[in-house]
Amino acid sequence: MIPFHSSFAGRVLLILGLGLTMLGCSKTPKTSSAVSASEAQPSQQPTGLPNIIFYLADDQDITDYGVYGNEKVHTPAVDRLAKEGMLFKHAFTAQAICAPSRTQLFTGKYPLKNGAFANHTPTRPEVKSVTKQMRELGYQVVLAGKSHVKPASVYDWDQEWEPVPKEGVPRDYIPLADIENYFKTATQPFVMFITSKYPHGKYFDVKNPDANTLKFHPFDAHLKNDPAYIKKKAGYYRSIQEDNTQLERVLDMVDTLLSDNTLFIYSADHGVSGKFSVKDIGLNVPFVARWPNVIKAGSFSEQLVHYTDVLPTFIDIAKGTPSSDIDGKSFLPILQGQDQAIHEYVYGVRTNQNIINARIFPSRMIRDTRYKYIRNFNALEVLEQNLGDNPNINAFLRLGALRHKNEAFEELYDLHNDPFEQNNLIADASLHQVTKRLRSQLFAWMKTQGDFLTEELGNVKIITAPAFKLDQNKPPRRMSVPEELQNTLKPEDYYIIEHW
């Protein structure tokens, strides 16, 4: 990800000290009204438990925030939150894709364990999500905005409001009117997830974009003279600005209508530049928390935290005890100012099935605060060992390996010296013990998750992917399936995921 060297703390403190300006549903779409000073009656919860608000942006790189070092992007509301709260450097999701990322927040379990490790697929029906867990502790649990998770029996929100159409912008807005009305009328503690559709494409159409107004990194520096990429990135920056406008509105409501006993967390579900990958540019997420009188203003943490930690942290705040089958751990002590390790490692999962232009290329990742190990199970260099007796399955395995022909079977990165993962050190003899340690720990973790992949070669499977069949070339899948391979896979060729 972004080059956090020893200057990280100094740069953050410099940015935070610049005197940033303090900016101040039902299924039927509504328009939001302004909050007047005369209406300002901060709600006080009789239990003394805090309200909890989690604002989630959609498809935004951690490199694209002022407070994370990008001076060319407009994110004053997020920067303000960091000035008033705590900025996390090492926050992660396990999967750089919408549904799998969100289910971790809502269940406290990694995607392999909760079941939604391919996009557009459901969580296992027996999983107890945030709705039931926090409801038992006296909270209402609300979703305001984009969902992208199922089934409804697992995610049975007390209130749910869909995004609201808005003229002149490329994406629907969060339901501001419903959020405002709820803040005004809440009578018990609540957990509210405000889930934006921004800056996810479709982006704004920026006329005559200037590359000099954009920031480039090692992963996209080769595109700084590409007109189509510049236009797309300029539109993405403009969509980031629009999401900042939504966030400003929400923060104004929070500061006007709710008490200081409100924990507010901002994040983005994954990075767009690393989408579908296990690179840090996809998995390392922005994460900023504000809680007046609890979190020290202008603080930051370099401890590893993970999306699976969010639910157990909420349970801890509510004086409950997380169940033993939850993967995450509470980071409440960090919020309270204790610089204490939560994890030694975090993990990542990749499947390219059930996405547009899908190909078979599963990967797993393990990372500590310095080193990252990746295994790409269908890499070209081990393809022949993955092939079996079924020529149709072999054909699709070959397509997957060729699509990602430049990705090695094993990868190792020193993230202190190479934060953008440009230099694969897997052949470095001096790091052999590091590789051995990470590899061993990764496969031990995979067993705890019930992973269908193993350390042995030849075990790559075609998983059932209901929406995006590998052998069907139907819109909007854009699969580009060779004619001779269309409709050649049989039900028995798939590894069946029962709850899908």
Side-chain angles (χ1 to χ4, degrees), residues 198-445:
Y198 285 92
H200 190 296
K202 173 182 177 182
Y203 301 133
F204 280 85
D205 182 12
V206 176
K207 307 298 183 183
N208 303 313
D210 182 357
N212 293 318
T213 64
L214 309 172
K215 189 162 186 172
F216 294 87
H217 305 280
F219 59 83
D220 68 351
H222 64 292
L223 296 170
K224 62 173 56 178
N225 294 314
D226 182 328
Y229 183 77
I230 292 169
K231 185 172 182 62
K232 181 179 179 180
K233 190 160 187 175
Y236 161 66
Y237 271 33
R238 174 64 185 85
S239 291
I240 290 173
Q241 182 177 340
E242 194 69 21
D243 194 48
N244 186 89
T245 298
Q246 293 186 117
L247 180 58
E248 288 173 348
R249 292 285 303 277
V250 172
L251 288 176
D252 285 346
M253 293 179 196
V254 170
D255 292 347
T256 306
L257 297 173
L258 301 179
S259 75
D260 279 351
N261 193 20
T262 300
L263 170 60
F264 193 104
I265 298 176
Y266 171 90
S267 190
D269 62 347
H270 57 77
V272 65
S273 298
K275 193 164 185 171
F276 311 130
S277 80
V278 287
K279 297 291 189 181
D280 269 17
I281 191 60
L283 300 182
N284 189 189
V285 293
F287 203 89
V288 185
R290 184 189 73 171
W291 191 358
N293 305 314
V294 177
I295 295 175
K296 182 180 179 182
S299 58
F300 67 93
S301 175
E302 297 191 5
Q303 297 292 349
L304 287 171
V305 297
H306 196 270
Y307 268 14
T308 57
D309 300 330
V310 169
L311 177 54
T313 300
F314 290 177
I315 293 171
D316 195 7
I317 289 170
K319 313 301 184 185
T321 302
S323 60
S324 59
D325 64 336
I326 285 183
D327 290 319
K329 299 179 181 178
S330 172
F331 55 81
L332 177 58
I334 294 178
L335 299 180
Q336 294 171 330
Q338 301 175 40
D339 185 26
Q340 108 179 18
I342 303 297
H343 300 287
E344 186 176 1
Y345 306 107
V346 292
Y347 305 89
V349 177
R350 171 193 199 178
T351 176
N352 281 340
Q353 290 192 234
N354 232 42
I355 63 172
I356 292 173
N357 292 320
R359 291 290 183 260
I360 303 172
F361 202 78
S363 306
R364 303 291 184 264
M365 177 281 286
I366 181 173
R367 186 197 195 283
D368 60 23
T369 56
R370 178 165 186 176
Y371 293 103
K372 169 187 270 190
Y373 171 79
I374 299 170
R375 175 167 287 204
N376 299 306
F377 290 81
N378 194 36
L380 191 59
E381 64 191 274
V382 296
L383 172 63
E384 294 304 317
Q385 298 171 73
N386 285 332
L387 301 181
D389 298 328
N390 187 318
N392 292 332
I393 292 177
N394 290 344
F396 286 98
L397 289 171
R398 185 170 283 107
L399 286 175
L402 290 171
R403 168 68 61 83
H404 301 277
K405 62 184 178 181
N406 295 323
E407 295 188 51
F409 174 53
E410 293 186 297
E411 302 174 65
L412 181 72
Y413 298 100
D414 179 351
L415 299 166
H416 283 187
N417 297 310
D418 180 23
F420 289 99
E421 300 167 61
Q422 302 292 298
N423 183 23
N424 185 2
L425 300 174
I426 198 67
D428 189 330
S430 69
L431 295 173
H432 174 72
Q433 290 303 316
V434 172
T435 300
K436 183 178 179 181
R437 168 175 60 87
L438 294 176
R439 184 194 293 130
S440 175
Q441 181 62 37
L442 174 63
F443 282 102
W445 172 79

Side-chain angles (χ1 to χ4, degrees), residues 99-118:
S101 185
R102 291 158 194 264
T103 60
Q104 297 165 75
L105 289 172
F106 300 151
T107 69
K109 299 182 180 184
Y110 276 94
L112 287 164
K113 187 184 285 187
N114 78 48
F117 60 88

Side-chain angles (χ1 to χ4, degrees), residues 68-110:
Y68 281 105
N70 187 339
E71 72 285 357
K72 295 187 176 183
V73 72
H74 186 78
T75 58
V78 181
D79 301 347
R80 166 194 166 185
L81 278 172
K83 182 179 179 182
E84 297 172 352
M86 176 178 287
L87 181 80
F88 286 80
K89 167 187 172 181
H90 287 142
F92 287 86
T93 179
Q95 217 163 336
I97 192 167
C98 279
S101 185
R102 291 158 194 264
T103 60
Q104 297 165 75
L105 289 172
F106 300 151
T107 69
K109 299 182 180 184
Y110 276 94

